[in-house]
């Protein structure tokens, strides 16, 4: 119940059925208009309303109860908060380096010649040697991760809804009987504001919410795919001459052994020993240890917002507005 004052200037005047009824509900606010009176009800109007004869009227004149009421409505507002949650996905990239090694084979030929004892000595042979090299390669991997965010204060939205409730505004009215030999009417001298009394449940509209204010995402771990590797950066091949596999020597001279050319024999002259590399047959690349770099976070893709529970706040009571005609009553029976 909210106490309200009657709207200034509202008055109940005489109607054709009640020619001797007047009442100004605002007169109590202005010292009864300086007259000590807020209105007048004739005896005949009371008798007509209550069905009294003259004897009953005179007998019950001191036990009457005058009241005034007017249908009205009161504006209401109510605040509320709503929790919300939101999923999101984030892409990330990760770089890495990997050591690699490779074992290959290469064909080689060796040709030895010299001028010995006035004869040209000429030898040749074919061989195969094992080559080894090491290198590194860089790679990148992409991944995604999912996260959720929600809020208490941040992550909630506040709003309000409007509504109204119907009821009545009423007054209890004091009176003095007007006596001319006998009571022939009643002066309405003052009134007591009984306030607004709701007559039903509030009728609410929808909440009008603002935007969510979310906190930060809480993410889980990334789920990465395989690395995409670039071509290795290789060192030069290395080999061990002792591990070269040679065929037998061939010769088109009378010499028996190329060692005779390669010896320190003083008779040797114009000594030549040339090894010519041939084609390399590349072996498989053997992956080694992977050294992972840091993860670089990418863009976040927001998912749909899931609205949570609405928590209503306190109801704020607003102005009372008349919604119908005012009526004056005696003992609960309308006089106007």
């Amino acid at each position: 119940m909210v106490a309200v004052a009657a709207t200034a200037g509202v008055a109940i005047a005489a109607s054709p059925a009640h020619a001797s009824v007047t009442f100004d509900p605002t007169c109590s606010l202005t010292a009864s208009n300086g007259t000590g009176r807020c209105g007048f009800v004739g005896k005949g109007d009371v008798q007509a309303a209550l069905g009294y004869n003259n004897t009953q009227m005179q007998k019950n004149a001191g036990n009457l109860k005058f009241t005034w009421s007017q249908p009205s409505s009161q504006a209401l507002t109510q605040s509320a908060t709503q929790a919300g949650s939101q999923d999101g996905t984030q892409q990330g990239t990760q770089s890495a380096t990997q050591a690699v090694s490779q074992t290959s084979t290469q064909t080689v030929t060796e040709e030895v010649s010299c001028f010995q004892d006035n004869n040209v000595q000429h030898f040749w042979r074919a061989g195969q040697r094992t080559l080894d090299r090491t290198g590194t390669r860089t790679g990148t991997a992409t991944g995604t991760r999912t996260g959720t965010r929600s809020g208490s204060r941040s992550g909630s939205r506040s709003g309000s809804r409007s509504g109204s409730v119907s009821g009545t505004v009423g007054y209890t009215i004091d009176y003095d009987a007007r006596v001319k030999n006998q009571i022939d009417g009643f002066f309405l001298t003052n009134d007591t504001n009984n306030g607004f009394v709701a007559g039903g449940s509030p009728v609410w509209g929808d909440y009008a919410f603002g935007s969510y204010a979310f906190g930060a995402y809480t993410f889980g771990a990334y789920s990465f795919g395989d690395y995409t590797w670039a071509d290795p950066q290789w060192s030069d091949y290395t080999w061990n001459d002792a591990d070269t596999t040679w065929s037998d020597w061939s010769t088109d001279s009378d010499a028996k052994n190329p060692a005779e050319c390669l010896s320190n024999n003083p008779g040797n002259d114009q000594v030549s020993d040339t090894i010519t590399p041939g084609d390399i047959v590349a072996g498989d690349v053997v992956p080694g240890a992977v050294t992972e770099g840091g993860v670089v976070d990418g863009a976040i893709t927001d998912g749909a917002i899931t609205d949570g529970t609405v928590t209503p706040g306190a109801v704020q009571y607003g102005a009372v507005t008349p919604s119908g005609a005012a009526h004056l009553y005696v003992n609960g029976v309308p006089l106007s």
Side-chain angles (χ1 to χ4, degrees), residues 211-225:
S211 300
Y212 280 108
F214 280 110
Y217 277 108
T218 300
F219 280 108
Y222 278 108
S223 177
F224 279 107

Side-chain angles (χ1 to χ4, degrees), residues 164-217:
S164 62
V165 62
S166 300
T168 57
V169 174
Y171 291 81
T172 301
I173 304 168
D174 299 333
Y175 69 95
D176 291 331
R178 186 177 73 174
V179 181
K180 292 183 179 180
N181 296 323
Q182 63 178 1
I183 296 171
D184 66 354
F186 303 91
F187 291 112
L188 306 180
T189 59
N190 203 350
D191 55 41
T192 301
N193 189 339
N194 296 324
F196 175 79
V197 179
S201 300
V203 178
W204 293 107
D206 295 329
Y207 282 110
F209 282 110
S211 300
Y212 280 108
F214 280 110
Y217 277 108

Side-chain angles (χ1 to χ4, degrees), residues 21 32-33 41 50 89 95 113-114 119 123 137 149 155 179 210 213 216 249 254 264 266 274 278 289 307-308:
V21 176
S32 300
N33 296 329
V41 179
L50 300 180
T89 58
S95 60
S113 64
C114 66
N119 293 313
F123 305 90
R137 63 180 180 178
R149 61 178 181 178
V179 181
W249 287 100
D254 296 333
N264 293 323
T274 303
D307 294 329

Side-chain angles (χ1 to χ4, degrees), residues 22-25 27-28 32-33 35-40 188-191:
T22 61
F23 175 64
D24 180 2
C27 72
S28 60
S32 300
N33 296 329
T35 65
R37 299 170 184 171
C38 296
F40 178 79
L188 306 180
T189 59
N190 203 350
D191 55 41

Side-chain angles (χ1 to χ4, degrees), residues 95-109:
S95 60
T97 59
Q98 184 180 41
V100 291
S101 62
Q102 185 178 41
T103 299
S104 303
T105 59
Q106 184 182 41
T107 58
V108 292
T109 59

Side-chain angles (χ1 to χ4, degrees), residues 242-330:
D243 294 333
T244 303
T245 302
W246 294 101
S247 64
D248 294 334
W249 287 100
S250 298
T251 182
D252 55 4
S253 62
D254 296 333
K256 300 290 193 221
N257 191 334
E260 296 177 5
C261 268
L262 299 176
S263 67
N264 293 323
N265 189 329
N268 292 344
D269 193 14
Q270 300 178 7
V271 176
S272 173
D273 185 1
T274 303
I275 294 177
T276 304
D279 294 333
I280 295 176
V281 178
D284 293 333
V285 176
V286 179
V290 175
T291 303
E292 293 182 335
V295 176
V296 178
D297 294 330
I300 296 173
T301 302
D302 294 329
I305 295 173
T306 301
D307 294 329
T309 303
V310 175
T311 303
V315 176
Q316 302 295 319
Y317 296 88
V320 174
T321 304
S323 59
H327 294 280
L328 184 66
Y329 297 83
V330 59

